[in-house]
DNA sequence: CGTACCCCACTTTTT
DNA sequence: GTGGGGTACG
């Protein structure tokens, strides 16, 4: 994917032989250096060539912040003679890292491979994989996603005979645990601080949860960051190695870093202070998962010697779009005011459509897309250039809103790609297959073992699993418990009392398949290994007997097999580990294909950092956007507004806004979103102006 | 004891 | 349409 094969390691011989040019300051610029600076404006050049010490680029949307990081890295390598592996760039998604590496490759060639790039999570994962033992983390730890986490909590609930609903709903408990962890609290501290009944309950679960994950050699997403930080704080030798290794640090989308990430960066930059962060406080949209806007606002206080470079020219949008975005976000308090202008004066008005219901709204959007892209048949000679479908995106607040739009697109046979929603890697059959891969590499990962035990159904039910859990639990002879993989093998040999014959035979069969597959790992490629998993686990035969749905699931397994082929250049064992790790850390955006001739359907959150010539924002209805759960709280309302700013500024040329008066589900009617009234009226072209709902002075409740 | 089937509540945003 | 949980049957 996006990272060099071992971004945390020492340079390989090949890396070392990458020619490193001596610093050149003072000399005339060579052709490559010209190419690096040419596509930049004056302010961007200043940011790119300011290489020593802390640097903050705080600037509005589309002002070329990401471009600054890319070109700055190129400049460091080409002009300053910095070795590529001494440079680190943290991006918001792995996709963004991959794109940055591609751009870099175009500019400077092969040495782009050696720059360390990735998300906070993937970088921490790789550091921990390599050095985690220094803080007591086993090398082969497993990364648990939300579903795995929920299974751990459900196990507790079962032990305690508690329901998985109401105040003991797993997602609720996990959310509370996550928030506490991101605030830097341990389970002990949570217990000390707990006041309400529910807080005490959560604190107790937090303690059990932490102990259980430890036993399973598993970490969750929060742990990746926390342990990554602990590595820097509690393993001085390791920390110093990384501080010496990465001499130049870059962080994109800095406004959405949380406290742990902030401290992690500070630890890494402590020695040299060569830290370049870029971001836009108006685009901070992840406070609900711990992001703290103060990280960027306080940068100059944290780094008193920081250079601050504002970027004021927007290269993405028309002035109309920028004015609309500004009209909305300027209603927020306590933001840093930033200039933003564009050479693209004027531009198309923003179309607004007030629909009766979501279906009507979707139909209108589809009609507009058909009009704009009416390339294929019956195009009028005077019609504007038809737009291609990959230049169109439809944005919405919640995943559920995509349904009505999807249906309308399907009816009109307009191809689309849906980003997010039920993600590929969390589909049941895909997770089952991945669980098989995980048990090949772990004896302790109970959650993965339990997943595969009865898929396909083979006579191992709740009762048997309970017996196995009991056998794996800590006891007098085994104070740390017994690895689940060993328990399964033992049960297959009839060494666990109470397991019935059918289950016992199945368990023996599973243990046998696991050991056979393990023997094969080193000898076959990853796709071949997956073939083995599919046939020997019985997954393949099971799906073959499941009709149309089984066929779809089987197609997903084949797709997974195809993806696994990307790791062919690695040794089989490394390929397996990398594949399992990467699949745990993919972001929604990673699935986005900007070249595909399709309309993109995507949430406003996932659209951050992307851009399209034509953008629709749908569902601008009070209660939906802004969301009803944000109506009561000023801070949350401001975040919704920033989200609106992000959405508007994704558009390069044409923007359409729509709302439905009757919402699809839930509580009754919605009024047009307040954000519509915050856009200067002269920028708007109300499509159904003759409609009494949207008329005159009172339009949008102005 | 396990499986198949039916019914329920559910949908803010995600690494 | 969804997935998970509860219940009835084999
Ligand atoms: N100096 C420049 N000249 C022309 N185009 C530029 C320049 N700098 C950036 N761009 C283009 O402007 C667009 C926005 O750039 P970029 O994504 O780097 O901005 P950003 O500030 O990171 O945006 P956002 O914060 O909205 O994600 C891109 O299409 C980029 O190629």
């Amino acid at each position: 994917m996006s990272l060099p094969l071992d971004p945390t390691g020492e340079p390989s011989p090949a890396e070392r032989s990458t020619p490193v040019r001596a610093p050149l300051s003072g000399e005339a610029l060579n052709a490559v250096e010209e190419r690096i600076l040419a596509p930049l404006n004056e302010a961007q050049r200043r940011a790119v060539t300011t290489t020593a010490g802390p640097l903050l680029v705080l600037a509005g949307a589309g002002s070329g912040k990401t471009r600054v990081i890319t070109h700055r890295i190129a400049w460091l390598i080409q002009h300053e003679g910095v070795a590529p592996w001494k440079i680190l760039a943290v991006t918001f998604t792995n996709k963004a890292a991959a794109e940055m590496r591609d751009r870099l490759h175009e500019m400077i060639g092969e040495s782009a491979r050696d720059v360390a790039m990735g998300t906070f999570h993937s970088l921490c994962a790789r550091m921990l994989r390599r050095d985690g033992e220094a803080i007591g983390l086993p090398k082969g730890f497993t990364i648990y996603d939300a579903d795995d986490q929920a299974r751990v909590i459900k196990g507790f609930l079962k032990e305690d005979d508690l329901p998985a609903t109401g105040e003991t709903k797993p997602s609720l408990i996990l959310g509370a645990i996550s928030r506490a962890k991101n605030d830097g609290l341990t389970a002990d501290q949570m217990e000390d601080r707990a006041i309400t009944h529910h807080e005490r309950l959560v604190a107790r679960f937090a303690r059990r949860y932490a102990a259980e994950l430890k036993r399973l050699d598993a970490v969750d997403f929060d742990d990746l960051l926390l342990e990554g930080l602990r590595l820097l704080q509690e393993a001085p030798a390791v920390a110093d190695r990384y501080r010496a290794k990465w001499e130049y640090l870059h962080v994109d989308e800095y406004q959405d870093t949380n406290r742990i990430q902030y401290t992690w960066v500070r630890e890494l930059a402590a020695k040299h202070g060569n830290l370049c962060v870029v971001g836009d406080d108006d685009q901070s949209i992840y406070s609900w998962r711990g992001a703290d806007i103060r990280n960027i606002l306080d940068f100059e206080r944290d780094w008193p010697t920081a250079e601050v470079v504002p970027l004021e020219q927007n290269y993405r949008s028309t002035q109309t779009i920028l004015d609309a975005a500004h009209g909305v976000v300027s209603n927020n308090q306590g933001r840093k005011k930033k200039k933003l202008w564009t050479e693209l004066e004027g531009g198309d008005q923003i179309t607004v459509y007030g629909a009766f219901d979501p279906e009507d709204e979707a139909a209108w959007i589809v009609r507009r897309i058909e009009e704009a892209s009416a390339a294929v048949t019956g195009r009028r000679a005077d019609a504007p250039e038809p737009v291609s479908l990959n230049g169109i995106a439809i944005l919405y607040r919640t995943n559920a809103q995509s349904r009505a739009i999807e249906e309308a697109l399907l009816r009109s046979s307009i191809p689309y790609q849906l980003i997010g929603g039920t993600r590929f890697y969390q589909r049941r059959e895909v997770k089952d297959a991945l669980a098989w891969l995980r048990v090949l590499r772990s004896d302790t990962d109970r959650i993965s073992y339990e997943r595969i035990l009865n898929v396909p159904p083979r006579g191992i039910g709740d009762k048997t699993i309970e017996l196995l859990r009991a056998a794996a639990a800590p006891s007098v002879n085994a104070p740390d418990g017994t690895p689940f993989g060993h328990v399964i093998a033992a049960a297959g040999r009839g060494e666990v009392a109470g397991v019935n014959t059918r289950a016992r035979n199945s368990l023996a069969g599973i243990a046998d398949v696991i050991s056979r597959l393990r023997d094969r790992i080193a000898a076959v490629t990853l796709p071949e290994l997956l073939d083995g998993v599919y046939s020997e686990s019985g997954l393949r035969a099971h799906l073959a007997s499941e009709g149309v749905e089984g066929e779809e699931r089987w197609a997903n397994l084949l797709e997974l097999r195809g993806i696994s082929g990307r790791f062919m250049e690695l040794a089989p064992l490394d390929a397996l580990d990398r594949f399992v790790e990467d699949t745990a850390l993919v972001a929604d955006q990673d699935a986005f294909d900007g070249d595909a001739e399709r309309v993109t359907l995507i949430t406003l959150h996932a659209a951050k950092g992307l851009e399209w010539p034509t953008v629709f924002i749908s569902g601008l209805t009070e209660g939906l956007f802004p969301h009803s759960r944000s109506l009561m709280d000023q801070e949350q309302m401001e975040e919704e507004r920033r989200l609106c700013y992000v959405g508007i500024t994704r558009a390069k040329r044409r923007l359409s806004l729509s709302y439905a008066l009757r919402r699809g589900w839930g509580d009754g009617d919605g009024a047009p979103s307040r954000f519509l009234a915050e856009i200067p009226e002269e920028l708007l072209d109300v499509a159904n102006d003759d409609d009494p709902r949207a008329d005159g002075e009172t339009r949008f409740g102005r």
Side-chain angles (χ1 to χ4, degrees):
Chain A
M1 266 177 214
S2 56
L3 289 151
L5 300 183
D6 183 10
T8 59
E10 295 307 312
S12 64
E15 285 173 335
R16 269 198 208 91
S17 68
T18 308
V20 175
R21 309 183 55 242
L24 286 169
S25 23
E27 264 176 55
L29 299 182
N30 66 29
V32 177
E33 290 160 355
E34 291 280 7
R35 256 208 345 263
I36 294 171
L37 295 185
L40 303 175
N41 65 31
E42 211 38 57
Q44 287 176 310
R45 281 179 202 178
R46 218 177 97 219
V48 163
T49 56
T50 304
T51 54
L55 172 68
L56 167 66
V57 178
L58 179 67
S63 56
K65 297 184 292 295
T66 304
R67 184 178 282 199
V68 162
I69 293 189
T70 313
H71 287 243
R72 192 172 188 270
I73 293 170
W75 182 258
L76 280 165
I77 294 169
Q78 289 295 327
H79 185 81
E80 301 288 324
V82 176
W85 56 85
K86 303 226 120 197
I87 300 170
L88 171 71
V90 186
T91 57
F92 203 68
T93 61
N94 290 307
K95 170 120 189 145
E99 264 168 22
M100 191 176 286
R101 195 184 300 287
D102 286 348
R103 296 291 94 75
L104 209 50
H105 190 263
E106 286 162 17
M107 279 188 284
I108 62 167
E110 278 309 301
S111 45
R113 278 181 66 87
D114 302 329
V115 177
M117 282 182 191
T119 63
F120 282 108
H121 287 89
S122 56
L123 289 163
C124 283
R126 281 165 185 70
M127 288 167 74
L128 292 167
R129 204 62 86 187
R130 185 190 158 91
D131 295 301
E133 279 173 325
I135 52 167
L137 205 70
K139 265 221 160 56
F141 65 83
T142 310
I143 299 167
Y144 274 8
D145 68 8
D147 182 72
D148 302 320
Q149 293 176 285
R151 283 167 187 254
V152 172
I153 299 293
K154 278 181 205 157
F156 300 155
L157 295 174
K158 181 139 202 216
E159 278 174 35
D160 296 0
D161 210 20
L162 290 167
T165 54
E167 65 170 1
T168 49
K169 193 178 163 176
S171 61
L172 221 69
I173 296 173
L174 286 164
I177 293 176
S178 174
R179 254 171 280 128
K181 278 160 96 168
N182 278 307
D183 283 342
L185 297 180
T186 63
D188 284 336
Q189 290 165 322
M190 282 178 75
E191 227 152 31
D192 290 344
R193 292 183 192 200
I195 298 165
T196 65
H197 161 74
H198 191 249
E199 282 169 347
R200 279 202 304 280
L201 182 122
V202 167
R204 279 200 305 277
F205 276 116
R207 174 192 302 284
R208 269 164 93 179
Y209 173 76
E212 183 66 5
L213 256 60
K214 186 152 199 245
R215 239 160 54 77
L216 304 181
D217 295 334
V219 298
D220 62 25
F221 286 127
D222 298 322
D223 293 332
L224 281 176
L225 301 179
L226 283 163
E227 297 291 293
L229 176 59
R230 202 159 67 84
L231 186 68
L232 296 181
Q233 293 184 324
E234 294 177 18
V238 174
D240 280 341
R241 219 179 61 233
Y242 283 108
R243 289 189 190 109
K245 176 181 172 52
W246 290 326
E247 285 179 20
Y248 294 89
L249 311 180
H250 302 80
V251 185
D252 200 0
E253 307 280 11
Y254 191 68
Q255 75 281 357
D256 271 324
T257 51
N258 69 23
R259 193 168 126 178
I260 316 289
Q261 294 164 334
Y262 163 86
T263 316
W264 187 86
V265 169
R266 217 185 43 194
E267 286 287 346
L268 271 181
K271 278 239 164 75
H272 47 65
N274 296 325
L275 169 63
C276 166
V277 306
V278 315
D280 177 2
D281 54 322
D282 287 332
Q283 293 188 65
S284 172
I285 54 175
Y286 282 97
S287 75
W288 51 273
R289 66 172 204 208
D292 192 341
I293 200 165
R294 283 174 303 184
N295 291 348
I296 194 162
L297 294 177
D298 292 347
F299 188 83
E300 293 169 78
R301 194 205 60 199
D302 293 336
W303 301 92
T305 61
E307 285 273 338
V308 182
V309 178
L311 306 178
E312 297 180 344
Q313 181 170 2
N314 170 294
Y315 291 96
R316 180 182 292 142
S317 313
T318 65
Q319 192 63 48
T320 299
I321 289 165
L322 292 188
D323 288 346
H326 180 257
V328 171
V329 83
S330 60
N331 288 286
N332 278 354
Q333 312 291 317
R335 53 183 287 269
K336 275 208 184 170
K337 291 215 168 72
K338 295 173 292 291
K339 262 216 197 83
L340 202 59
W341 62 278
T342 171
E343 286 176 347
L344 299 167
E345 280 163 43
D348 292 2
Q349 273 192 314
I350 296 162
T351 315
V352 181
Y353 180 74
F356 172 65
D357 60 19
E359 287 70 36
D360 178 17
E361 184 182 7
W364 178 77
I365 292 172
V366 169
R367 252 191 336 270
R368 297 236 342 146
I369 291 173
E370 283 175 327
E371 282 162 21
S373 65
V376 201
T377 49
R379 193 172 143 232
R380 299 203 322 271
D382 61 337
E385 253 325 82
V387 302
S388 69
L389 295 180
N390 67 353
I392 300 175
I394 305 170
L395 278 45
Y396 39 79
R397 179 66 177 81
T398 69
N399 285 303
Q401 290 169 256
S402 70
R403 169 145 276 123
I405 300 163
E406 280 184 80
E407 280 169 7
L409 289 167
L410 279 172
R411 264 198 299 279
S412 297
S413 315
I414 298 175
Y416 64 88
Q417 58 177 330
L418 178 75
I419 307 301
T422 321
R423 307 166 185 61
F424 179 74
Y425 289 105
Q426 61 189 41
R427 299 187 149 279
R428 205 168 63 211
E429 63 279 13
V430 173
K431 285 223 69 180
D432 288 340
L434 291 171
W436 269 97
L437 294 184
R438 301 209 296 203
V439 304
L440 296 184
R441 299 288 290 141
S442 169
D443 287 326
T444 49
D445 179 1
R446 173 172 64 82
I447 299 299
S448 294
Y449 275 102
E450 288 183 2
R451 247 199 117 86
I452 65 164
L453 280 184
N454 211 27
V455 181
R458 42 163 74 87
I460 302 169
D462 288 350
K463 184 71 198 183
T464 307
I465 288 180
E466 212 167 290
L467 289 167
L468 297 176
R469 278 188 198 167
S475 67
V476 193
N477 326 345
D480 293 327
T482 311
F484 210 74
H486 298 179
V487 172
I488 286 173
R493 294 189 299 267
E495 293 164 19
V496 175
V499 175
N500 71 32
T501 326
R502 174 153 187 235
R504 180 183 150 184
N505 288 336
S506 294
L507 288 164
I510 289 167
D512 188 46
V513 170
I514 291 173
S515 88
R516 275 209 313 277
L517 288 171
R518 279 181 180 175
D519 287 342
R520 249 195 276 164
I521 294 175
V524 299
T525 65
L526 195 45
E528 288 165 347
L529 183 67
L530 272 173
D531 283 335
V533 166
Y534 295 166
S535 50
E536 303 213 18
S537 69
L539 269 175
R540 177 184 201 152
H542 177 60
L543 293 180
S545 68
E546 290 280 286
V548 188
E549 198 186 312
E551 267 171 46
E552 270 169 34
R553 294 181 187 277
W554 176 242
N556 287 329
L557 290 186
L558 289 181
E559 188 176 344
L560 185 71
R561 180 189 184 278
I563 297 169
S564 76
R566 288 187 203 157
F567 298 83
M568 294 289 219
E569 58 193 284
L570 293 171
L573 201 63
D574 297 331
L576 173 56
D577 290 342
R578 265 301 287 276
F579 182 56
V580 170
E581 179 163 308
D582 280 9
T583 53
L585 297 175
V586 287
D588 280 349
Q589 241 191 50
D590 297 345
F592 172 69
D593 180 353
D595 297 326
E597 254 307 305
R598 296 151 174 249
V599 173
T600 299
L601 270 58
I602 190 168
T603 63
L604 288 149
H605 279 90
K608 183 165 85 152
L610 303 177
E611 59 185 25
W612 296 267
T614 303
V615 168
F616 294 86
I617 305 180
S618 72
L620 275 154
T621 306
E622 283 288 306
L624 201 51
F625 188 31
H627 197 272
S628 54
R629 304 182 81 133
S630 306
L631 295 178
M632 308 314 274
D633 182 291
Q634 169 83 4
E635 301 257 309
Q636 287 189 54
M637 180 57 73
E638 297 210 342
E639 182 147 311
E640 296 282 314
R641 195 172 275 119
R642 290 193 291 271
L643 193 55
C644 188
Y645 173 82
V646 168
I648 292 173
T649 55
R650 295 312 92 197
K652 293 166 123 170
R653 296 293 177 268
R654 281 167 303 277
L655 177 65
S656 295
L657 309 174
S658 56
Y659 60 92
L661 291 176
R662 190 183 64 73
R663 289 192 273 149
W665 45 269
D667 35 14
D669 293 350
S673 169
R674 69 191 65 192
F675 303 146
L676 286 167
E678 291 172 1
I679 299 173
E681 190 156 10
E682 65 275 14
L683 305 178
L684 300 179
D685 170 22
V686 180
N688 49 344
D689 215 4
D690 48 346
D691 193 310
R693 290 181 309 235
D695 82 336
E697 306 303 300
T698 60
R699 195 187 280 166
F700 311 135
R702 249 172 240 275

PDB file of all heavy atoms in Angstrom, chain A residues 314-329:
ATOM      1  N   ASN A 314      -6.678  30.504  -2.830  1.00  0.00           N
ATOM      2  CA  ASN A 314      -7.326  29.215  -3.031  1.00  0.00           C
ATOM      3  C   ASN A 314      -7.246  28.850  -4.506  1.00  0.00           C
ATOM      4  O   ASN A 314      -7.528  29.668  -5.376  1.00  0.00           O
ATOM      5  CB  ASN A 314      -8.786  29.313  -2.559  1.00  0.00           C
ATOM      6  CG  ASN A 314      -9.614  28.107  -2.948  1.00  0.00           C
ATOM      7  OD1 ASN A 314      -9.859  27.857  -4.121  1.00  0.00           O
ATOM      8  ND2 ASN A 314     -10.052  27.351  -1.947  1.00  0.00           N
ATOM      9  N   TYR A 315      -6.851  27.615  -4.770  1.00  0.00           N
ATOM     10  CA  TYR A 315      -6.701  27.173  -6.157  1.00  0.00           C
ATOM     11  C   TYR A 315      -7.784  26.199  -6.568  1.00  0.00           C
ATOM     12  O   TYR A 315      -7.706  25.573  -7.610  1.00  0.00           O
ATOM     13  CB  TYR A 315      -5.335  26.511  -6.345  1.00  0.00           C
ATOM     14  CG  TYR A 315      -4.199  27.479  -6.256  1.00  0.00           C
ATOM     15  CD1 TYR A 315      -3.517  27.657  -5.058  1.00  0.00           C
ATOM     16  CD2 TYR A 315      -3.823  28.237  -7.363  1.00  0.00           C
ATOM     17  CE1 TYR A 315      -2.478  28.557  -4.962  1.00  0.00           C
ATOM     18  CE2 TYR A 315      -2.775  29.133  -7.274  1.00  0.00           C
ATOM     19  CZ  TYR A 315      -2.103  29.293  -6.072  1.00  0.00           C
ATOM     20  OH  TYR A 315      -1.085  30.188  -5.985  1.00  0.00           O
ATOM     21  N   ARG A 316      -8.740  26.010  -5.711  1.00  0.00           N
ATOM     22  CA  ARG A 316      -9.707  24.956  -5.989  1.00  0.00           C
ATOM     23  C   ARG A 316     -11.032  25.488  -6.525  1.00  0.00           C
ATOM     24  O   ARG A 316     -11.562  24.978  -7.499  1.00  0.00           O
ATOM     25  CB  ARG A 316      -9.958  24.149  -4.718  1.00  0.00           C
ATOM     26  CG  ARG A 316     -10.952  23.014  -4.895  1.00  0.00           C
ATOM     27  CD  ARG A 316     -11.208  22.272  -3.595  1.00  0.00           C
ATOM     28  NE  ARG A 316     -10.046  21.531  -3.143  1.00  0.00           N
ATOM     29  CZ  ARG A 316      -9.685  21.403  -1.878  1.00  0.00           C
ATOM     30  NH1 ARG A 316     -10.395  21.992  -0.919  1.00  0.00           N
ATOM     31  NH2 ARG A 316      -8.620  20.707  -1.551  1.00  0.00           N
ATOM     32  N   SER A 317     -11.555  26.523  -5.877  1.00  0.00           N
ATOM     33  CA  SER A 317     -12.965  26.863  -6.070  1.00  0.00           C
ATOM     34  C   SER A 317     -13.157  28.233  -6.684  1.00  0.00           C
ATOM     35  O   SER A 317     -12.238  29.050  -6.756  1.00  0.00           O
ATOM     36  CB  SER A 317     -13.681  26.825  -4.713  1.00  0.00           C
ATOM     37  OG  SER A 317     -13.354  25.658  -4.005  1.00  0.00           O
ATOM     38  N   THR A 318     -14.400  28.486  -7.079  1.00  0.00           N
ATOM     39  CA  THR A 318     -14.764  29.819  -7.553  1.00  0.00           C
ATOM     40  C   THR A 318     -15.012  30.731  -6.356  1.00  0.00           C
ATOM     41  O   THR A 318     -15.209  30.269  -5.230  1.00  0.00           O
ATOM     42  CB  THR A 318     -16.059  29.760  -8.378  1.00  0.00           C
ATOM     43  OG1 THR A 318     -17.126  29.355  -7.499  1.00  0.00           O
ATOM     44  CG2 THR A 318     -15.944  28.791  -9.537  1.00  0.00           C
ATOM     45  N   GLN A 319     -15.008  32.026  -6.620  1.00  0.00           N
ATOM     46  CA  GLN A 319     -15.248  32.993  -5.545  1.00  0.00           C
ATOM     47  C   GLN A 319     -16.639  32.780  -4.932  1.00  0.00           C
ATOM     48  O   GLN A 319     -16.831  32.930  -3.730  1.00  0.00           O
ATOM     49  CB  GLN A 319     -15.118  34.426  -6.080  1.00  0.00           C
ATOM     50  CG  GLN A 319     -15.073  35.487  -4.993  1.00  0.00           C
ATOM     51  CD  GLN A 319     -13.849  35.330  -4.088  1.00  0.00           C
ATOM     52  OE1 GLN A 319     -12.724  35.167  -4.549  1.00  0.00           O
ATOM     53  NE2 GLN A 319     -14.076  35.335  -2.774  1.00  0.00           N
ATOM     54  N   THR A 320     -17.594  32.439  -5.754  1.00  0.00           N
ATOM     55  CA  THR A 320     -18.947  32.179  -5.244  1.00  0.00           C
ATOM     56  C   THR A 320     -18.926  31.096  -4.173  1.00  0.00           C
ATOM     57  O   THR A 320     -19.523  31.234  -3.098  1.00  0.00           O
ATOM     58  CB  THR A 320     -19.869  31.734  -6.404  1.00  0.00           C
ATOM     59  OG1 THR A 320     -19.926  32.786  -7.366  1.00  0.00           O
ATOM     60  CG2 THR A 320     -21.261  31.407  -5.906  1.00  0.00           C
ATOM     61  N   ILE A 321     -18.228  30.024  -4.464  1.00  0.00           N
ATOM     62  CA  ILE A 321     -18.160  28.916  -3.508  1.00  0.00           C
ATOM     63  C   ILE A 321     -17.439  29.344  -2.240  1.00  0.00           C
ATOM     64  O   ILE A 321     -17.880  29.046  -1.124  1.00  0.00           O
ATOM     65  CB  ILE A 321     -17.466  27.692  -4.174  1.00  0.00           C
ATOM     66  CG1 ILE A 321     -18.404  27.098  -5.235  1.00  0.00           C
ATOM     67  CG2 ILE A 321     -17.101  26.636  -3.150  1.00  0.00           C
ATOM     68  CD1 ILE A 321     -17.731  26.140  -6.198  1.00  0.00           C
ATOM     69  N   LEU A 322     -16.348  30.082  -2.411  1.00  0.00           N
ATOM     70  CA  LEU A 322     -15.621  30.542  -1.226  1.00  0.00           C
ATOM     71  C   LEU A 322     -16.475  31.489  -0.383  1.00  0.00           C
ATOM     72  O   LEU A 322     -16.452  31.422   0.853  1.00  0.00           O
ATOM     73  CB  LEU A 322     -14.329  31.248  -1.630  1.00  0.00           C
ATOM     74  CG  LEU A 322     -13.242  30.372  -2.249  1.00  0.00           C
ATOM     75  CD1 LEU A 322     -11.951  31.167  -2.410  1.00  0.00           C
ATOM     76  CD2 LEU A 322     -12.987  29.128  -1.414  1.00  0.00           C
ATOM     77  N   ASP A 323     -17.231  32.359  -1.050  1.00  0.00           N
ATOM     78  CA  ASP A 323     -18.079  33.285  -0.307  1.00  0.00           C
ATOM     79  C   ASP A 323     -19.158  32.538   0.477  1.00  0.00           C
ATOM     80  O   ASP A 323     -19.480  32.889   1.611  1.00  0.00           O
ATOM     81  CB  ASP A 323     -18.737  34.283  -1.264  1.00  0.00           C
ATOM     82  CG  ASP A 323     -17.731  35.303  -1.804  1.00  0.00           C
ATOM     83  OD1 ASP A 323     -16.624  35.391  -1.231  1.00  0.00           O
ATOM     84  OD2 ASP A 323     -18.047  35.996  -2.794  1.00  0.00           O
ATOM     85  N   ALA A 324     -19.703  31.515  -0.152  1.00  0.00           N
ATOM     86  CA  ALA A 324     -20.719  30.723   0.542  1.00  0.00           C
ATOM     87  C   ALA A 324     -20.108  30.033   1.761  1.00  0.00           C
ATOM     88  O   ALA A 324     -20.668  30.066   2.862  1.00  0.00           O
ATOM     89  CB  ALA A 324     -21.309  29.676  -0.408  1.00  0.00           C
ATOM     90  N   ALA A 325     -18.938  29.442   1.567  1.00  0.00           N
ATOM     91  CA  ALA A 325     -18.279  28.740   2.673  1.00  0.00           C
ATOM     92  C   ALA A 325     -17.975  29.715   3.804  1.00  0.00           C
ATOM     93  O   ALA A 325     -18.201  29.415   4.982  1.00  0.00           O
ATOM     94  CB  ALA A 325     -16.994  28.086   2.176  1.00  0.00           C
ATOM     95  N   HIS A 326     -17.493  30.885   3.427  1.00  0.00           N
ATOM     96  CA  HIS A 326     -17.170  31.880   4.439  1.00  0.00           C
ATOM     97  C   HIS A 326     -18.420  32.373   5.152  1.00  0.00           C
ATOM     98  O   HIS A 326     -18.432  32.547   6.372  1.00  0.00           O
ATOM     99  CB  HIS A 326     -16.422  33.056   3.796  1.00  0.00           C
ATOM    100  CG  HIS A 326     -16.055  34.102   4.782  1.00  0.00           C
ATOM    101  ND1 HIS A 326     -16.757  35.287   4.895  1.00  0.00           N
ATOM    102  CD2 HIS A 326     -15.097  34.139   5.734  1.00  0.00           C
ATOM    103  CE1 HIS A 326     -16.232  36.008   5.867  1.00  0.00           C
ATOM    104  NE2 HIS A 326     -15.222  35.340   6.388  1.00  0.00           N
ATOM    105  N   GLY A 327     -19.496  32.556   4.366  1.00  0.00           N
ATOM    106  CA  GLY A 327     -20.755  32.986   4.959  1.00  0.00           C
ATOM    107  C   GLY A 327     -21.197  32.054   6.073  1.00  0.00           C
ATOM    108  O   GLY A 327     -21.688  32.496   7.118  1.00  0.00           O
ATOM    109  N   VAL A 328     -20.991  30.779   5.876  1.00  0.00           N
ATOM    110  CA  VAL A 328     -21.406  29.804   6.883  1.00  0.00           C
ATOM    111  C   VAL A 328     -20.452  29.823   8.073  1.00  0.00           C
ATOM    112  O   VAL A 328     -20.855  30.045   9.221  1.00  0.00           O
ATOM    113  CB  VAL A 328     -21.463  28.380   6.270  1.00  0.00           C
ATOM    114  CG1 VAL A 328     -21.682  27.331   7.342  1.00  0.00           C
ATOM    115  CG2 VAL A 328     -22.574  28.311   5.228  1.00  0.00           C
ATOM    116  N   VAL A 329     -19.168  29.642   7.808  1.00  0.00           N
ATOM    117  CA  VAL A 329     -18.242  29.383   8.920  1.00  0.00           C
ATOM    118  C   VAL A 329     -17.983  30.642   9.751  1.00  0.00           C
ATOM    119  O   VAL A 329     -17.606  30.556  10.928  1.00  0.00           O
ATOM    120  CB  VAL A 329     -16.915  28.765   8.401  1.00  0.00           C
ATOM    121  CG1 VAL A 329     -15.959  29.825   7.893  1.00  0.00           C
ATOM    122  CG2 VAL A 329     -16.290  27.887   9.463  1.00  0.00           C
TER     123      VAL A 329
END
